[in-house]
Amino acid sequence: MLKPVLKASAVLLGAGALYLTLWPVPIDPQPWDAPQNQGYTGAFSPNTALQAMDRIALNGEFGPEDAAIGADGRLYMASHSGAILAYDPADGTVSEFANTGGLPLGISATDDGVLYIADAAKGLVQVDAAGTVTVLTNTVDGTPIDYADDLDIAPDGSIYFTDASTKFGAVANGGTFPASFLDLMEHGGHGRVLRYDPATGQTRVILDGLQFANGLAINAAGTHFLVIETGAYAVRRVSLDGASVETVLENTPSFPDNISRAPDGTFWMGFVSPRSQQADDLAPKPFLRKLVMRLPAAMRPKATRYGLVARISETGEVLETLHDPDGGFAFTTGVIETADGTKYITSLREDTLGRLAAP
């Protein structure tokens, strides 16, 4: 009896080894050296400031990844169901204003009541004051825009927006979260920044080769934008023509997500999850990253709950951080600050919108 059992065990072990080493995976990992994570120290030292937030219920919706203050004073939010929600601070109501039918993420508003939305399924989308949805662009240079992520409007009316990954589109890979995981695990530099000119209807590439191009915000002078490379733990400052690129913040302790300009000209950043030491250790080891992709999902690096947003200067100085170390409000993506200092905190996965009253 022992010999057949041993033979069967050897066959199973051999099959398992072949699976772990040869089974096809969707990524082609590129080696890189992750910087040593300094953790929540220095300017990122923990506090509990986010735990003082009020929570605004979203009527069963979740994932208000970004928000914008509209011309009518309401706060417009992008939800993962496709709904564009409107929160009225005067009476506290939340209602559906429009629905893109896609995966709306970044959102910006104009003074004439128009919303522009980076939709990971549709591309760059416009919603007018009546709630009519129009797709402005979903291709550039003959390539599809499969993961529009965040955007901002330049002084001349042109719209700068990120295409997080040209390889791992959100729809084709099961949604924004699974697609982002694949892009981060590959580290292939598939992200880019695009510019749409509403006068001509033309879209062009401003910057490419980014490691998951995420949040984008234009400075108060209208000369540069800050763009977040989630996969590089970094923020770049780029001239509007893309000719000048400099790193202003790097080696962040969490994965940076969205960024928005505050009324005083500084910038608020959201951090969706703490960095994974397992993922950092795998950075220079492409073969092991492929092996990890063949393991059950529970054994792969995963996001953990920790709330964190930070205010930075245009040159990357960390001026203020707000934490929720317990993760009661987590997967934080950004902050929208009003003129009176009220802060609305958005999240990738929560079913509420955070609000910190003006000091």
Side-chain angles (χ1 to χ4, degrees):
M1 286 294 295
L2 185 59
K3 286 185 177 180
V5 170
L6 290 175
K7 286 182 179 180
S9 298
V11 169
L12 289 174
L13 288 172
L18 287 173
Y19 170 78
L20 287 174
T21 55
L22 298 177
W23 192 262
V25 294
I27 65 171
D28 179 21
Q30 302 301 305
W32 70 291
D33 292 320
Q36 180 64 43
N37 184 10
Q38 301 302 311
Y40 299 119
T41 59
F44 284 99
S45 293
N47 57 54
T48 57
L50 281 185
Q51 295 179 0
M53 289 191 310
D54 298 323
R55 305 287 187 86
I56 299 168
L58 300 176
N59 301 337
E61 300 284 353
F62 78 98
E65 180 158 337
D66 196 15
I69 301 167
D72 58 2
R74 295 195 293 177
L75 188 78
Y76 291 88
M77 296 168 280
S79 77
H80 281 268
S81 73
I84 305 302
L85 306 175
Y87 165 70
D88 189 338
D91 59 16
T93 59
V94 175
S95 58
E96 182 172 323
F97 171 67
N99 196 306
T100 69
L103 295 169
L105 299 176
I107 183 168
S108 290
T110 66
D111 292 338
D112 57 0
V114 174
L115 303 177
Y116 290 101
I117 297 164
D119 189 301
K122 300 288 187 176
L124 180 63
V125 172
Q126 174 187 286
V127 181
D128 67 17
T132 302
V133 177
T134 304
V135 176
L136 298 177
T137 180
N138 55 21
T139 61
V140 56
D141 297 338
T143 65
I145 300 168
D146 285 336
Y147 202 145
D149 196 308
D150 196 23
L151 76 167
D152 204 358
I153 305 168
D156 67 357
S158 58
I159 301 160
Y160 286 76
F161 65 107
T162 55
D163 187 11
S165 177
T166 58
K167 181 174 180 178
F168 300 105
V171 173
N173 291 282
T176 56
F177 206 76
S180 64
F181 175 76
L182 291 173
D183 192 88
L184 294 173
M185 283 293 283
E186 175 160 310
H187 204 82
H190 305 300
R192 56 187 178 177
V193 175
L194 309 177
R195 176 184 181 270
Y196 173 78
D197 184 347
T200 65
Q202 294 182 334
T203 307
R204 65 186 182 93
V205 178
I206 296 296
L207 184 66
D208 60 9
L210 302 179
Q211 302 296 343
F212 200 81
N214 206 326
L216 183 149
I218 295 172
N219 66 358
T223 59
H224 293 75
F225 60 82
L226 298 188
V227 62
I228 287 177
E229 278 193 86
T230 300
Y233 314 134
V235 182
R236 318 294 184 195
R237 181 177 182 267
V238 186
S239 59
L240 292 189
D241 61 4
S244 170
V245 181
E246 60 179 314
T247 300
V248 294
L249 181 63
E250 56 188 342
N251 197 18
T252 60
S254 290
F255 288 96
D257 200 287
N258 277 355
I259 188 167
S260 62
R261 193 175 76 246
D264 66 356
T266 61
F267 296 85
W268 281 105
M269 294 174 57
F271 294 85
V272 73
S273 176
R275 282 167 56 176
S276 162
Q277 189 59 53
Q278 180 186 6
D280 282 355
D281 290 343
L282 290 169
K285 304 168 183 175
F287 173 78
L288 290 182
R289 301 218 305 274
K290 280 189 174 183
L291 187 149
V292 167
M293 290 300 300
R294 298 180 182 111
L295 296 174
M299 299 177 69
R300 301 173 190 164
K302 59 181 67 65
T304 55
R305 295 187 64 89
Y306 190 105
L308 173 63
V309 296
R311 186 167 62 92
I312 68 170
S313 70
E314 186 176 338
T315 56
E317 180 186 2
V318 179
L319 305 171
E320 178 181 5
T321 61
L322 310 175
H323 297 244
D324 182 352
D326 297 334
F329 190 93
F331 307 112
T332 37
T333 52
V335 177
I336 304 302
E337 184 175 351
T338 66
D340 71 356
T342 300
K343 300 173 184 65
Y344 294 98
I345 293 87
T346 56
S347 167
L348 185 66
R349 290 186 169 181
E350 299 291 349
D351 59 2
T352 58
L353 175 73
R355 178 181 57 194
L356 279 173

